[in-house]
Amino acid sequence: MLPLIGILIVIVGFALRLNALLVVTLAGVATGLVSGQSLPDVIAAFGKAFVDSRYIAIVWLALPVIGLAERSGLKERSREVISRIQAATAGRVLLVYLALRQATSALGLVSLGGHAQMVRPLVAPMAEGAADNTHGALPTHTRERIKSMAAASDNVGMFFGEDVFVAIGSILLIRAFLEQNGIVVEPLQLARWAIPTAIIAFVVHGARLLLLDRDIASAVRAERESSVNSEPRA
């Protein structure tokens, strides 16, 4: 049971909202130590995994850069830039990102977007800035909804876009599953039939994004009316 202490450390660390990277690292070290390995062996295992999985190095390099950019005012700058575009609204900004995310995923460029590297530092602040520019001060729950729709746009764009690309893990997984059940299909066939699904997903979520602007306006109007009604009368 002791090797499972790493899971407990992860649960407690995330519940206390501690640094995720530090929590996971401590969980890995603790699991190795209670399993009977020495500290040098645990560190060597980390190093071996790091070298064997070269793509991890890219993440380690990208995340600090994103963090420094945020600390230097990336969010504020993105809001300022989008506020200069009069026609920009939260729904339109997210619709453009949805189209770009789905198109690039269909070309196999799934790493160009993502929650950590695009949605949090750029897309969500730009959508919020566009909404601020259009409607003024926003209620807290409306800001949170804009953030959630930004994350949803990334999910929908990647999930339904990547299947259009032939050489992607999801296509190979579907092909292997069908082949196990006696259905032999080529990856190109799967990719071709993923196109109508991707188009429908874009239309459905795109409609939700266009309706988002109307919902934001209603929420702001209701918040203002509530504030006026709650003011004490002389």
Side-chain angles (χ1 to χ4, degrees):
M1 294 295 292
L2 282 179
L4 298 179
I5 192 173
I7 299 176
L8 178 62
I9 293 175
V10 171
I11 294 174
V12 173
F14 283 5
L16 295 177
R17 297 181 179 275
L18 301 177
N19 184 281
L21 182 60
L22 178 62
V23 170
V24 173
T25 302
L26 290 177
V29 172
T31 300
L33 293 177
V34 299
S35 299
Q37 297 182 356
S38 64
L39 183 59
D41 291 337
V42 174
I43 297 176
F46 272 99
K48 184 177 184 302
F50 184 83
V51 173
D52 292 344
S53 304
R54 294 302 178 93
Y55 65 90
I56 295 179
I58 299 176
V59 176
W60 280 71
L61 291 174
L63 291 182
V65 171
I66 295 172
L68 288 173
E70 284 193 33
R71 187 173 182 179
S72 299
L74 178 62
K75 289 184 177 181
E76 291 74 12
R77 184 60 179 170
S78 61
R79 290 185 182 183
E80 179 184 346
V81 170
I82 202 66
S83 65
R84 298 175 183 174
I85 305 176
Q86 297 298 324
T89 64
R92 292 171 184 172
V93 169
L94 296 181
L95 182 63
V96 171
Y97 178 69
L98 172 65
L100 291 175
R101 183 62 164 146
Q102 196 167 51
T104 54
S105 297
L107 296 174
L109 304 175
V110 295
S111 298
L112 288 183
H115 292 186
Q117 57 268 49
M118 283 294 292
V119 174
R120 185 178 185 273
L122 282 176
V123 179
M126 290 177 70
E128 286 186 69
D132 286 331
N133 190 43
T134 305
H135 304 286
L138 301 176
T140 302
H141 63 85
T142 302
R143 292 189 181 278
E144 295 301 320
R145 187 180 178 197
I146 293 175
K147 294 177 183 178
S148 66
M149 290 296 283
S153 299
D154 186 89
N155 290 344
V156 172
M158 177 182 174
F159 186 85
F160 291 98
E162 66 175 356
D163 288 344
V164 179
F165 187 65
V166 177
I168 201 74
S170 57
I171 288 290
L172 301 179
L173 178 62
I174 295 171
R175 181 180 183 275
F177 176 80
L178 292 175
E179 190 172 348
Q180 289 177 357
N181 291 272
I183 304 173
V184 179
V185 293
E186 294 299 324
L188 185 60
Q189 292 177 285
L190 293 173
R192 184 169 62 246
W193 283 104
I195 295 176
T197 307
I199 294 175
I200 293 174
F202 179 83
V203 171
V204 172
H205 192 65
R208 294 181 64 205
L209 294 176
L210 293 179
L211 292 174
L212 177 64
D213 293 326
R214 186 191 64 180
D215 295 340
I216 293 174
S218 299
V220 172
R221 185 166 54 252
E223 183 74 13
R224 290 174 180 171
E225 292 176 354
S226 176
S227 298
V228 171
N229 294 332
S230 62
E231 292 179 355
R233 298 181 180 178

